[in-house]
Amino acid sequence: MDVTVTDLAVGRGGVPLLAGVSFVLSPGRALVLRGPNGSGKTTLLRTVAGLQPALAGTVSGAEERIAYAAHADGLKAALTVSENLTFWAAVFGQSQITPALAAFDLEGLATRRAGALSAGQKRRLGLARLMVTGRAVWVLDEPTVSLDAASVTRFADAVRAHLAAGGMALIATHIDLGIEADVLDVTGFQTQAAALGHADEAFL
């Protein structure tokens, strides 16, 4: 089933940032959002993911199908790598974590507490959560922050495998992941407030 976004308007604190956004995300496809910091990419992702209401327009086909990953890694510091993945798998009614450990090169860290991981290792674990959700639609906000080149490659491979299995990905990123994807530049949908810089991408 497609995820269809129609004439979507999004904003923060009632201030519109983007308006008239429309696109269709189909199984097996990825869409990369482009635009400078503060242009409204994060706000758009959060709205599509159902974390905040739209000012106008509709999002259909996304209900209970989205796994969202943003700046926070969503980890419990006192739990080990394996325990964190087991926890998130259980939240989404899943049980298998071995493929996620392998995909993000976490096997050797499986018994280490998340709080003792480096920033890059935490990011890899945070992204590995996507694989244990069983969700078809990955919505990702700057997913490669803190990752070295080898880890970026692992992440891109995980996305390719997800797409090959019929999944979908909506990604805001400034780097080229080497993934076959459509591109949407959000600057063409900016309202006057966003164009004047009345936005802070870190909080939008």
Side-chain angles (χ1 to χ4, degrees), residues 73 75 81 104 106 109 112 114 116-127 146-147 151:
D73 293 316
L75 307 177
V81 168
F104 287 91
L106 294 169
L109 300 171
R112 185 176 299 182
L117 299 176
S118 69
Q121 290 167 342
K122 287 177 181 176
R123 173 55 59 158
R124 279 156 49 199
L125 177 55
L127 292 173
S146 299
L147 293 183
S151 296

Side-chain angles (χ1 to χ4, degrees), residues 13-40:
V15 178
L17 298 177
L18 302 174
V21 180
S22 296
F23 61 83
V24 176
L25 187 60
S26 299
R29 300 297 302 167
L31 177 64
V32 172
L33 301 182
R34 300 289 194 200
N37 290 339
S39 57

